Amino acid sequence: MAAPLLVNLSESLGSSEPAVRLILSILIGYPCAMVYRKYLFYQTPTVINVFHALSGLALAAFNFGSQIYHSAVCVLVQFLMMRLMGRTVTTVLSSFTFQMVYLLAGYYYTATEEYDIKWTMPHCVLTLKLVGLSFDYYDGGKEPSQLSAEQKNSALPSVPSLLEVCGFSYFYGGFLVGPQFTLRSYQKLVAGQLTDSPGNPPNSVTPALKRFALGFLCLSIYTIFNPYYPDSYYLTDEYEAQPFWYRCVFILLWAKVILYKYVSCWVIAEGVCILSGLGYNGVVDGEHRWDACANMKVWVFETTPLFGGTISSFNINTNAWVARHVFKRLKFLGNKTLSHVTTLIFLTIWHGLHSGYILCFSMEFFIITVERQALALVRDSPLLTKLANSPLYPVIYLVQQFFHWLFMGYPLVPFCLFTFDKWLKVYSSVYFCGHVFFLVAFLAMPHLRKALVPKKERSETKQD
């Protein structure tokens, strides 16, 4: 009976059935969180873990059927590695290798040329959770003096039980699309410590509903405008026949619309975490904060004219996970640029095996590098600083936003189209304008510094 209803619903919404199942599953997190608050908050950790594990497994089965065994195998293997290998580097390396190889094998055997919602989608979220768990377990065996403040907050003092790992892995607020959170945070949730009212469920209904409303707004925008800006239009003769300016503007508008797909899911899921209490982040300036599981800074995302600002406001918890467990642990390399490149390589592989991911993240590195040089130029040049602070800035801001979103959409093209033949066709149709623009900017930057920055400032910057 459920299947025909879902088919009819997906047809009326103009969406695929797997996408409708996914959105419904994220929304079901809200009643699950209400059940936890009303009936289970004062129960034992065993009861709470069973509820979280079973509810998450039910949602997984609703979406992926018997293929939930993939996640179950990885959770069990992760638990056994921690139990049998202990707090060793071998455990961390074994966990990283097994979980990543399993994920990549899943990508390889299920890959198509389209974006499909299948078991590998939540599994990439789970992979980071389980690898992070091994790091946190390993850190728990170190002396506190050897750990950073961040590591101290997530380090595990004892080996978790299998039930605890299952509850953490399948928690309904984060299993399908994230966010990332640590087992220590989950343990505090189960212990009833993540609340603004000690001993009672958190007063988080209002902040949770605010995130739900914002997420629903983003979902509505995506649902309304996506039919006008589909990925498939790039590959049509009609797109290729359009004027150059139209093709560029389409990339800009398409990028804004396509990203709402991710924004809506993350913000709605964040509301589930807030409602359960997992989003509680203590008191700052006398106010209770509920942003521990924030995966989006929506206002920054909408208003920043900088590529770096968009990246830092997007998929925040995943970026924080990568910074904590990859970038910062590469400190031994002694080179930030090399650590940054290695981190982007990891992100590329983690996303999938398509060539589009490689191009997207390599372009991200190049764009951010050029932007940092441009910001330094504006900062050090008296003329450009004066111009940036002049009454003309509103006009400059609008121009910035145009180029910002045009060239945010530019690397998103291969990210969303995946394969070489598709993204090459699009880039050819716009004459590789993004590549040319940033290459020229990169080559021109030293000459612009020489022309616009006083000699004293140039020498001080070089010393820094």
Side-chain angles (χ1 to χ4, degrees), residues 142-164:
K142 294 182 179 180
E143 291 295 324
S145 59
Q146 296 178 289
L147 302 176
S148 66
E150 210 173 26
Q151 290 170 335
K152 288 177 184 176
N153 287 334
S154 58
L156 294 169
S158 60
V159 62
S161 67
L162 177 59
L163 181 58
E164 204 168 25

Side-chain angles (χ1 to χ4, degrees), residues 32-33 36-37 40-45 48-49 51-53 55 129 164 167-174 181-196 199-202 204 272-280 290 292-293:
C32 287
Y36 162 69
R37 289 166 56 92
L40 302 175
F41 185 83
Y42 301 103
Q43 295 295 323
T44 63
I48 295 172
N49 282 320
F51 172 71
H52 288 162
S55 55
K129 270 189 182 181
E164 204 168 25
F168 162 70
S169 300
Y170 290 106
F171 176 68
Y172 45 82
F181 52 87
T182 65
L183 181 57
R184 280 292 297 275
S185 295
Y186 176 77
Q187 289 173 332
K188 290 177 182 178
L189 172 72
V190 172
Q193 297 174 7
L194 295 181
T195 176
D196 59 336
N200 297 298
S204 58
V272 176
C273 294
I274 292 173
L275 189 59
S276 68
L278 190 64
Y280 185 63
W290 300 97
C293 292

Side-chain angles (χ1 to χ4, degrees), residues 317-347:
N317 275 286
T318 299
N319 291 337
W321 187 100
V322 173
R324 184 169 68 250
H325 293 306
V326 182
F327 181 79
K328 292 179 182 178
R329 292 181 191 267
L330 293 172
K331 190 177 180 180
F332 67 89
L333 294 175
N335 186 305
K336 277 191 174 182
T337 300
L338 185 56
S339 297
H340 189 188
V341 170
T342 305
T343 301
L344 287 176
I345 291 172
F346 168 78
L347 275 173

Side-chain angles (χ1 to χ4, degrees), residues 103-116 118-120 352-354 357 418-419:
L103 176 65
L104 294 178
Y107 285 152
Y108 179 79
Y109 286 108
T110 64
T112 66
E113 293 188 2
E114 305 293 334
Y115 183 82
D116 302 317
K118 47 187 179 288
W119 68 267
T120 53
L353 301 174
H354 291 294
Y357 295 130
F418 297 149
T419 58

Side-chain angles (χ1 to χ4, degrees), residues 92 96 130-140 321 325 329:
V92 175
F96 185 92
L130 297 178
V131 172
L133 179 59
S134 68
F135 275 114
D136 294 338
Y137 181 56
Y138 172 69
D139 289 341
W321 187 100
H325 293 306
R329 292 181 191 267

Side-chain angles (χ1 to χ4, degrees), residues 234-261:
Y234 282 121
L235 307 177
T236 62
D237 294 335
E238 182 182 345
Y239 175 77
E240 204 160 349
Q242 298 289 357
F244 174 73
W245 68 265
Y246 183 95
R247 282 172 267 159
C248 291
V249 172
F250 183 88
I251 291 176
L252 183 155
L253 296 174
W254 166 82
K256 286 290 291 183
V257 171
I258 196 71
L259 288 178
Y260 279 120
K261 173 172 65 176

Side-chain angles (χ1 to χ4, degrees), residues 26 29-38 41 52 171-174 178-181 185 189 193-197 200-215 265-282 288-298 317:
I26 296 172
Y30 284 88
C32 287
M34 289 302 296
V35 169
Y36 162 69
R37 289 166 56 92
K38 186 170 179 62
F41 185 83
H52 288 162
F171 176 68
Y172 45 82
Q180 292 294 327
F181 52 87
S185 295
L189 172 72
Q193 297 174 7
L194 295 181
T195 176
D196 59 336
S197 177
N200 297 298
N203 297 302
S204 58
V205 174
T206 299
L209 290 178
K210 287 181 179 178
R211 296 311 276 179
F212 168 78
L214 180 59
C265 289
W266 290 334
V267 174
I268 293 173
E270 182 195 343
V272 176
C273 294
I274 292 173
L275 189 59
S276 68
L278 190 64
Y280 185 63
N281 205 18
H288 294 285
R289 298 285 294 272
W290 300 97
D291 57 357
C293 292
N295 229 2
M296 285 295 308
K297 294 178 181 176
V298 179
N317 275 286

